[in-house]
């Protein structure tokens, strides 16, 4: 499941990085279930400057008929361009993929490619011809390349993996003092996708997610390199669609509310545990011509069933409110900051990220990240102590 989830995160990054129009063209000839077919992805650059394109060589596709939904795995044709390429202004390019049509009911199907911001298309699937009896295997016949990777076969049995997407930043950072090293993983899972019959009647169900974030503080200075503290944050939340009450100059306005548990998974005197009910709006500004955007997201919360034995005064150090602000260019530097206030003082975390592919001839899909923190309650185990640290490393979600 981890490989499929990482693949889908990668596709979602590709979709966000393409500041262009994407059109999926279905197979041109009659499509028979069980047989191989070819479809095309067109990318149109309507900007006034060149952009970089990086369509993956492997795609996960969904075919939805009135009675079922099936998953198919598509691979790029060998003659197609691979890796990143530059698309000049007011021009287009295309990439063709092959896939084997699943054995689905004959009739019209809706077809979509996961991770690409493109409209669904429709085509008809005819019942495949009767299979021929295989009397033997020709040793000179080349092996099938229908499943070129483990993920290609894996996805056949894991159709729900498409519901995994990125959530909070994902990074690995080494401290200027190695004892302050830190890494974080995070994902969210959508319980009900948009093609379920229940979401057609109750569309708000599409906004229900399970989220998980884990932040670990790793003492790389010690011989045994122990984890000084790990914070586990499972949660269930609702995330709205882009609200129509926003002003025209505001590209995005979303509302998230949920319940989050936070603990360090330890026992005795070093155990820490609390729960939150929270409300978090997102306001997003974006200039499409300059590709510059800004996110402003305040968050307020209330403590529920806080552990009054081991962290009774947590709110004095963590507070009830924080403010997240991010600003930067789409494929360049992004500056982020999070501030929070509490009775015992103010705290802040500052991050800057930059795509490493600019430094490695478009061959490295990671971000360089620098982080400085001056905060109370950054770590759970010693939440009363102020921590000051500078860290440098890489991120895959910023």
């Amino acid at each position: 499941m981890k490989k499929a989830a990482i693949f889908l995160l990668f596709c979602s990054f590709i979709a966000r990085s393409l500041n262009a129009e994407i059109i999926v063209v279905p197979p041109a000839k009659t499509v028979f279930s069980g047989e191989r077919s070819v479809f095309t992805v067109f990318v149109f650059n309507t900007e006034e400057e060149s952009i970089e394109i990086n369509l993956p060589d492997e795609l996960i596709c969904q075919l939805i008929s009135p009675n079922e939904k099936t998953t198919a795995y598509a691979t790029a044709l060998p003659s197609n361009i691979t890796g990143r390429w530059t698309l000049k202004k007011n021009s287009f390019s295309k990439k063709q993929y092959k896939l084997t049509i699943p054995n689905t009911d004959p009739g019209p199907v809706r077809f979509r490619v996961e991770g690409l911001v493109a409209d669904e298309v429709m085509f008809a699937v005819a019942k495949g011809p009767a299979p021929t009896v295989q009397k033997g295997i020709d040793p000179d016949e080349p092996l099938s390349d229908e499943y070129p990777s483990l993920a290609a076969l894996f996805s056949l049995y894991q159709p729900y993996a498409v519901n995994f997407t990125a959530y909070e930043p994902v990074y690995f950072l080494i401290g200027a003092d190695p004892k302050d090293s830190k890494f974080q993983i995070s994902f969210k899972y959508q319980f009900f996708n948009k093609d379920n019959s229940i979401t057609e009647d109750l569309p708000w169900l599409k906004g229900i997610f399970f989220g998980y974030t884990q932040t670990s503080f790793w003492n790389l200075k010690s011989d045994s390199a122990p984890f000084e503290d790990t914070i586990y944050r499972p949660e269930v939340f609702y995330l709205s669609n882009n609200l129509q009450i926003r002003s025209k100059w505001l590209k995005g306005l979303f509302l998230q509310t949920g319940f989050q548990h936070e603990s360090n998974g330890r026992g005795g005197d070093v155990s820490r545990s609390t729960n939150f009910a929270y409300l978090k709006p997102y306001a997003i500004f974006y200039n499409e011509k300059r590709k510059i955007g800004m996110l402003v997201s305040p968050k307020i919360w209330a403590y529920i069933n806080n552990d009054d034995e081991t962290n009774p005064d947590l709110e004095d150090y963590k507070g009830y409110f924080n403010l997240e602000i991010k600003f930067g260019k789409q494929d360049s530097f992004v500056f982020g900051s999070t501030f929070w206030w509490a009775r015992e003082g103010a705290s802040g975390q500052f991050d800057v990220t930059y795509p490493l592919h600019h430094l490695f001839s478009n061959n490295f899909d990671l971000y360089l990240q620098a982080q400085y923190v001056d905060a109370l309650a950054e770590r759970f185990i010693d939440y009363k102590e102020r921590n000051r640290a500078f860290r440098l490393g890489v991120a895959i979600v910023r």
Side-chain angles (χ1 to χ4, degrees), residues 108 177 194 269 324 349:
D177 186 339
K194 65 179 182 179
D269 294 339
E324 179 184 6
Q349 176 178 303

Side-chain angles (χ1 to χ4, degrees), residues 59-112:
L59 296 173
I60 295 176
C61 308
Q62 296 284 342
L63 290 87
I64 303 104
S65 65
N67 298 320
E68 63 179 332
K69 180 176 70 173
T70 55
T71 300
Y73 207 92
T75 57
L77 294 180
S79 60
N80 274 249
I81 190 169
T82 60
R84 294 179 184 269
W85 76 95
T86 300
L87 187 58
K88 296 182 179 180
K89 66 177 182 178
N90 299 320
S91 64
F92 74 92
S93 185
K94 69 178 182 178
K95 193 167 186 176
Q96 291 186 304
Y97 295 83
K98 60 184 177 182
L99 81 160
T100 298
I101 303 299
N103 290 314
T104 184
D105 294 336
V109 297
R110 291 156 48 208
F111 179 79
R112 76 162 184 256

